[in-house]
Amino acid sequence: VNVDIHAHVLPRSALDAYASRRPWHGFDVSRTDSGHVLLQSEARTMRLESSTFYWDRGAERVELMDSWGLDVQVLSVSPVMLGYDLAVEQAVGLCSSINNDIAQMVQEWPGRFAGLATLPLQSPDHAARELVRAMEELGAVGAQVGTHVNGVNWDSAELFPVLEAAEATGALLFVHPAEVRMRGMLPGYHLRNTLGNPTETAVAIASLIYGRALDRFPSLRVCFAHGGGVIPWLAGRMEHANRVRDDARLPSGRSFADYLASLYFDSITHSPEALGYLVDAVGADRVLLGTDFPADMGQTRPVEWVKSLDSCDSAAVQAIAGGNAVDLLGLRARTP
Ligand SMILES: [Zn+2]
């Protein structure tokens, strides 16, 4: 079974709102001249500009998955829709719709999709409740969360109720960069994505480790987008700081590499060498195939790509392509 842990979707209630020209949780849904999705409110615009594929309701997606040898996609919304800056009430309604829509899509195509919930993290209590609802009533396998919540990092105790709920329900947290804080120092050239996103992800990983979240919630399972960003490459430097600096001492005497190997990472590195390095650093049982579908920065034909890697033997390929996700998420193979 081949599983894509990192795939984005536009909720169908947004598509319905577009079709019937009704607002969707305070946003007008429109289609740009180039075919992209635009969600606009007075205060804010969400632009899904990297693909026109978001208009598909599932049929074309399944066709493409078949041609790529993908059995299952684990669906999350485009991270521009995380909406942590919205008023709590608006965010609660938005997340609830998104989660219901994804659950419906999972039901409609048995065995082909699994769902990651979206949480109103600007209110950690609401977020924890919505995570429990998604896991227990909607059959979600986890939630997609941002690398930070309006500037609050994952070492902050105010977010711990969410980690606690994730541990208690067995939810996988999939951490994805959204609002890139270093944007102001980047001169364009899509560096917001190519440099900013992997740096955001590294900050989230370091915050989670230094904030003792992994010591406090030992059964917590967290997967990071884009191969963990820049942090696998910096693990030696982090470990050196752990040894020589009091302010960079890791909790509980564990090494940085040890903490890193207790996390999960998707395979989206766009480099066989980088993926081989990640697998060497954390183990083939910690890496999950991802595409970032349908983003233009994603990996096409992912199964073929992973199989072509010299750095992975056939057992590692099988684990990365789906075995790890099946174990982690309790997915069942679809009946033919
Ligand atoms: Zn993504």
Side-chain angles (χ1 to χ4, degrees), residues 6-8 76 79 144 174 176 225-226 268 292-293 295:
H6 186 162
H8 301 301
S76 52
Q144 172 180 250
F174 179 62
H176 197 299
H226 312 132
I268 305 169
D292 221 340
F293 185 83

Side-chain angles (χ1 to χ4, degrees), residues 26 35 37 46 63 79 123 127 129 148 163 170 185 187 201 207 232 252 289 333:
V37 179
M46 305 199 244
E63 214 170 283
S123 168
R129 275 204 294 279
H148 67 94
L163 301 180
M185 62 179 277
T201 302
S207 300
S252 78
L289 182 140

Side-chain angles (χ1 to χ4, degrees), residues 131 162-171 173 213-214 216-221:
L131 180 57
V162 179
L163 301 180
E164 196 180 346
E167 188 187 45
T169 55
L173 291 184
L214 301 173
R216 216 179 290 257
F217 309 107
S219 309
L220 183 65
R221 299 167 323 157

Side-chain angles (χ1 to χ4, degrees), residues 101-233:
D101 286 354
I102 288 183
Q104 202 196 345
M105 196 163 161
V106 170
Q107 267 195 338
E108 202 169 305
W109 304 86
R112 302 310 304 268
F113 298 118
L116 290 172
T118 303
L119 306 175
L121 282 168
Q122 54 271 70
S123 168
D125 288 339
H126 281 96
R129 275 204 294 279
E130 181 62 8
L131 180 57
V132 172
R133 185 183 81 93
M135 292 299 292
E136 290 178 357
E137 293 173 33
L138 301 178
V141 295
Q144 172 180 250
V145 299
T147 49
H148 67 94
V149 180
N150 302 324
V152 174
N153 288 306
W154 284 98
D155 60 341
S156 169
E158 58 185 280
L159 293 174
F160 285 179
V162 179
L163 301 180
E164 196 180 346
E167 188 187 45
T169 55
L172 176 75
L173 291 184
F174 179 62
V175 184
H176 197 299
E179 286 295 317
V180 171
R181 287 167 287 183
M182 63 190 283
R183 191 172 27 197
M185 62 179 277
L186 297 172
Y189 318 114
H190 209 39
L191 295 180
R192 179 192 58 72
N193 180 296
T194 53
L195 294 184
N197 276 357
T199 304
E200 273 293 341
T201 302
V203 173
I205 293 171
S207 300
L208 203 73
I209 290 174
Y210 274 107
R212 311 192 68 122
L214 301 173
D215 304 296
R216 216 179 290 257
F217 309 107
S219 309
L220 183 65
R221 299 167 323 157
V222 194
C223 179
F224 290 86
H226 312 132
V230 296
I231 216 137
W233 186 249

Side-chain angles (χ1 to χ4, degrees), residues 11-22 24 57 101 104:
R12 58 187 48 189
S13 58
L15 294 172
D16 293 341
Y18 172 76
S20 60
R21 297 170 187 276
R22 278 201 309 270
W24 185 67
R57 286 172 176 264
D101 286 354
Q104 202 196 345

